[in-house]
Amino acid sequence: MFSPTPSPQPKPAASDLIKDGSDSGFMTDVIEASQKVPVIVDFWATWCGPCKTLGPILEKAVTAAKGAVKLVKIDTDKHPAIAGQLRVQSIPTVYAFFQGRPVDGFQGALPESQIKAFIERLVKLSGGTGAIDIAAILAEAKAMLDEGNAQEAAAIYQEVLAEEPESAAAYAGVIRCLLAVGEAEAAKGMIADAPAGIAKSAELAAVKSQIELAEQAAKAGPLDDLKAAVTADPANHQIRYDYAVALYAAGRNEEAIEALLEIVKRDREWNDKAARTQLLKMFEALGPMDKLVIQARRKLSSLLFA
């Protein structure tokens, strides 16, 4: 059902294809630019050895694509904000954006053959006659899943995987569908059996966090009792932590995050930084571009670096 043939693209100047990015220019260079073609973001640093290997390979592959994709290189030492929002924990890390949102990515210096395959997947997102809009298909599947139609969403994700077996977004989507229908063990099995090319992807990390949070939530105590206990003893961080877990279990994500931020505010090192670790799990599960996550990251940064 998918056509792999992208429509011809005019050959742009090299400066249009590959450029140095910044936190302030991210919206223009990546989010807005990705409305037309996929934009690859390479998070790197001058001291990073693998980055020096990956960079030229990426540039060569992007140039060979002749405008079907673009590359923005962001030095995380000079511009750490976007990397922080996307929870970049090691470099090199690469994200691909299309139509304003991340659609693929990987960590580490992959060999040229895998980079070419990565670019080829993105070229299919560049639009034109016969080209498939995988981003739109994935968005449709996510909307179905959000509405509770897990079976229908899984069927769409499986169609994408039939064409793109290493689509991290589609693979993670199937796992989320399994979780939605209570098949936690099957979901864990899929994570364990994930193809090597996507095993360390942000999408898989997110569903791992979702599973961990769900297991914690299953053990959460009665919400009203925990709320009363926090009111009675505001300095008891463990009770507030348990209350945050129960809030998340009830779908009250914003209140759960606020409860954990309050612990960090009172004692950032409590229980070997347990509140901060739990916050990061929630951020990962909700996704880096979620508005609540972006706001919460700013609050956490203010608490940690005030």
Side-chain angles (χ1 to χ4, degrees):
M1 66 179 283
F2 299 133
S3 169
T5 306
S7 60
Q9 299 283 341
K11 185 176 181 179
S15 59
D16 293 330
L17 292 180
I18 302 169
K19 66 188 304 182
D20 292 327
S22 65
D23 290 334
S24 60
F26 188 83
M27 183 61 67
T28 299
D29 296 338
V30 178
I31 301 302
E32 293 178 6
S34 71
Q35 299 298 327
K36 296 181 179 179
V37 298
V39 177
I40 299 167
V41 184
D42 176 19
F43 292 98
W44 69 287
T46 55
W47 49 264
C48 169
C51 297
K52 296 176 182 178
T53 300
L54 177 65
I57 297 175
L58 270 175
E59 293 180 15
K60 178 181 176 182
V62 168
T63 301
K66 299 180 180 179
V69 297
K70 293 184 177 182
L71 173 64
V72 174
K73 300 171 66 67
I74 297 182
D75 184 335
T76 57
D77 286 344
K78 296 179 179 179
H79 306 284
I82 296 298
Q85 289 182 18
L86 292 173
R87 204 162 186 261
V88 173
Q89 296 181 323
S90 64
I91 53 175
T93 287
V94 172
Y95 275 95
F97 285 76
F98 186 58
Q99 295 184 341
R101 67 183 190 86
V103 294
D104 207 345
F106 62 86
Q107 292 180 336
L110 301 184
E112 187 170 358
S113 60
Q114 291 187 36
I115 296 298
K116 287 181 178 179
F118 176 73
I119 297 292
E120 288 171 3
R121 292 198 301 270
L122 296 177
V123 167
K124 295 179 182 180
L125 302 179
S126 60
T129 304
I132 59 169
D133 190 345
I134 291 181
I137 294 172
L138 291 172
E140 178 186 359
K142 182 179 184 302
M144 284 189 173
L145 181 56
D146 290 344
E147 292 170 0
N149 299 322
Q151 296 288 351
E152 293 87 346
I156 295 175
Y157 285 128
Q158 292 285 11
E159 288 181 1
V160 175
L161 287 173
E163 178 69 16
E164 300 289 350
E166 292 197 358
S167 168
Y171 197 91
V174 175
I175 295 173
R176 291 184 188 278
C177 290
L178 288 170
L179 292 174
V181 297
E183 296 289 343
E185 292 306 314
K188 291 179 183 178
M190 275 196 70
I191 291 175
D193 296 335
I198 62 173
K200 295 183 179 180
S201 66
E203 291 85 355
L204 267 292
V207 291
K208 287 178 184 178
S209 291
Q210 184 178 342
I211 290 173
E212 291 174 7
L213 290 169
E215 290 176 342
Q216 288 179 330
K219 302 175 183 177
L223 193 57
D224 290 341
D225 291 351
L226 288 168
K227 181 178 180 180
V230 170
T231 302
D233 188 3
N236 190 320
H237 300 326
Q238 184 61 57
I239 291 177
R240 192 181 297 275
Y241 181 93
D242 294 341
Y243 181 47
V245 172
L247 285 168
Y248 182 86
R252 294 160 62 176
N253 297 339
E254 185 171 4
E255 293 174 80
I257 288 173
E258 289 297 329
L260 292 169
L261 287 170
E262 181 64 23
I263 295 175
V264 176
K265 180 180 179 180
R266 290 169 177 261
D267 184 356
R268 68 180 66 176
E269 302 298 324
W270 173 75
N271 195 19
D272 196 22
K273 304 177 182 179
R276 291 162 61 180
T277 300
Q278 188 75 350
L279 278 168
L280 294 178
K281 285 183 182 179
M282 289 185 181
F283 293 167
E284 204 161 42
L286 293 171
M289 306 311 290
D290 185 277
K291 291 183 179 179
L292 179 59
V293 171
I294 293 172
Q295 294 171 356
R297 280 194 178 280
R298 290 172 182 163
K299 293 181 181 179
L300 180 60
S301 295
S302 296
L303 291 174
L304 295 177
F305 301 109

